[in-house]
Amino acid sequence: MTKAIRYDKTGGPEVMKWVDVDVGEPGEGEVRLRQSACGLNYIDVYFRSGLYPQPLPAGLGMEAAGEVTAVGKGVSALKAGDRVAYVARPPGAYAQERVLRADQVIKLPDGISDEAAASIMLQGLTAQYLLRRTYRVKAGDTILIQAAAGGVGLLVCQWAKALGATVIGTVGSDEKAAIAKAHGCDHPVVYTREDFTARVREITNGAGVPVVYDSIGKDTYTKSLDCLAPLGMFVSFGNASGPLPPIDSSEFAGRGSLFFTRPTLFTYIAKRADYEANAAELFDVVASGKVRTSINQRYALKDVGLAHAGLEARKTTGSTILIP
Ligand SMILES: NC(=O)c1ccc[n+]([C@@H]2O[C@H](COP(=O)([O-])OP(=O)(O)OC[C@H]3O[C@@H](n4cnc5c(N)ncnc54)[C@H](OP(=O)(O)O)[C@@H]3O)[C@@H](O)[C@H]2O)c1
């Protein structure tokens, strides 16, 4: 028996229970992992609260790192003792041990610790596709990222800066502004007292930006659209404040033939070759020091309720890991 987090009804952090589970032996094409660190992500809140429904009872958590302890029939690329990490569905990463398909995990290079990997598999691979594939950021671009001091935010700021962009980022406090600035955000905007649309227009001499990466959703939707230059791209990649209203296409025509996309990481890593290539690129930027991981909160996995409460109350910066 090992321990894992399960929930049998949706609701607040209290619905998550630390229970005994039997993970069993890996079947054909599967591996069993002993996990040393799990990542905390906003998507875990969406599942727990019911915004993203799934059949219950169920596990939670999308990413973790650890060691392979057994391999099933037909697995030749991995062996017991290998250090690996993953971001994978269905939720269930909040666990001491887990069985997964071998093609869902990535071998870790020496330069990436288990804890670092658990903090970047989801948020870092998200930063990778946002900046390198959804809208390909180039030197000289000025971009806007919402929640710049958050988990995805600090990675996006640093990576965009390394690509030669000027980064404008919204944050909820002066303390978060200082953290974002220290991670490559040229213009942190404290949206609680500054109008971020006006600041974007001022910083870009009225031109607007070619891309807005918006993970706040409902509260920032219209103002984010107002930041875009004609032909700009609105990248709606999250809904921390609630889902967007129904899309009215005239909003996109009227502001100058804007593009809209609602991307999800799992589309961008659906093919194994992409998963491997994107992870390799992520590990390279981290190993090179261009992008630093920011594990600013650490909890025992059994105390994950406290971690969720802190994330939802906007008390966190950077990434949070959970130790099983
Ligand atoms: N589509 C994808 O592939 C994908 C992948 C990863 C993450 N995401 C999304 O990206 C976002 C960031 O994820 P994360 O795990 O890195 O979280 P995070 O940014 O560390 O935390 C969320 C932050 O959002 C800001 N926020 C603004 N309004 C909020 C509200 N009403 N409630 C709570 N927070 C609010 C807060 O920062 P301030 O205090 O500075 O406002 C808060 O710290 C989430 O929306 C997540 O769903 C999407």
Side-chain angles (χ1 to χ4, degrees):
M1 280 289 182
T2 67
K3 295 273 192 186
I5 293 288
R6 292 280 186 273
Y7 68 123
D8 55 18
K9 59 173 193 281
T10 56
E14 71 286 349
V15 299
M16 294 181 286
K17 305 287 183 218
W18 184 232
V19 298
D20 288 329
V21 291
D22 184 2
V23 297
E25 292 301 317
E28 189 164 353
E30 293 181 333
V31 293
R32 190 178 63 215
L33 312 179
R34 185 187 309 117
Q35 306 197 134
S36 53
C38 314
L40 174 73
N41 294 285
Y42 222 93
I43 193 171
D44 306 344
V45 172
Y46 304 146
F47 277 110
R48 192 215 70 219
S49 67
L51 180 65
Y52 293 177
Q54 66 168 332
L56 297 178
L60 277 173
M62 313 302 287
E63 67 178 336
E67 189 184 315
V68 175
T69 53
V71 300
K73 250 200 221 155
V75 176
S76 54
L78 293 167
K79 58 178 186 324
D82 283 347
R83 276 191 335 112
V84 296
Y86 65 86
V87 50
R89 291 183 293 194
Y94 291 178
Q96 291 177 326
E97 292 192 43
R98 194 167 187 203
V99 169
L100 282 173
R101 288 198 325 271
D103 66 5
Q104 291 179 293
V105 308
I106 299 271
K107 251 188 185 173
L108 286 177
D110 289 343
I112 305 289
S113 71
D114 287 15
E115 292 199 354
S119 76
I120 56 172
M121 288 304 287
L122 195 152
Q123 295 171 352
L125 285 174
T126 299
Q128 192 280 339
Y129 84 72
L130 290 174
L131 299 171
R132 307 283 294 144
R133 294 183 62 192
T134 306
Y135 171 88
R136 216 173 151 82
V137 170
K138 21 181 217 318
D141 280 344
T142 298
I143 67 161
L144 175 64
I145 170 83
Q146 303 281 7
V152 175
L154 288 185
L155 296 163
V156 164
C157 287
Q158 297 176 82
W159 202 330
K161 189 77 191 160
L163 292 169
T166 297
V167 182
I168 308 174
T170 62
V171 290
S173 67
D174 288 302
E175 188 204 354
K176 288 188 178 185
I179 292 170
K181 188 141 205 166
H183 289 79
C185 180
D186 302 276
H187 303 282
V189 180
V190 183
Y191 65 82
T192 46
R193 60 176 156 75
E194 292 176 280
D195 176 348
F196 71 81
T197 309
R199 287 286 290 132
V200 166
R201 290 286 164 190
E202 192 181 304
I203 292 161
T204 58
N205 296 318
V209 290
V211 63
V212 176
Y213 296 110
D214 188 318
S215 63
I216 309 298
K218 180 170 71 63
D219 288 356
T220 46
Y221 174 56
T222 308
K223 287 171 63 67
S224 282
L225 289 182
D226 287 337
C227 294
L228 284 163
L231 300 175
M233 186 180 291
F234 180 68
V235 182
S236 170
F237 74 104
N239 17 248
S241 69
L244 296 188
I247 299 299
D248 171 0
S249 62
S250 68
E251 300 253 38
F252 292 79
R255 288 179 175 82
S257 311
L258 302 181
F259 292 84
F260 172 87
T261 182
R262 195 349 181 152
T264 73
L265 170 60
F266 289 104
T267 316
Y268 285 85
I269 57 169
K271 293 185 187 134
R272 175 73 196 180
D274 289 336
Y275 187 24
E276 283 180 12
N278 297 0
E281 190 178 340
L282 171 65
F283 295 154
D284 276 354
V285 291
V286 170
S288 72
K290 285 183 192 156
V291 172
R292 286 171 284 136
T293 57
S294 305
I295 300 173
N296 295 349
Q297 297 77 218
R298 192 183 255 102
Y299 292 87
L301 178 55
K302 66 179 169 45
D303 297 329
V304 65
L306 298 174
H308 273 224
L311 183 62
E312 287 176 276
R314 313 184 194 189
K315 289 192 178 132
T316 61
T317 59
S319 305
T320 301
I321 58 164
L322 307 161
I323 307 299

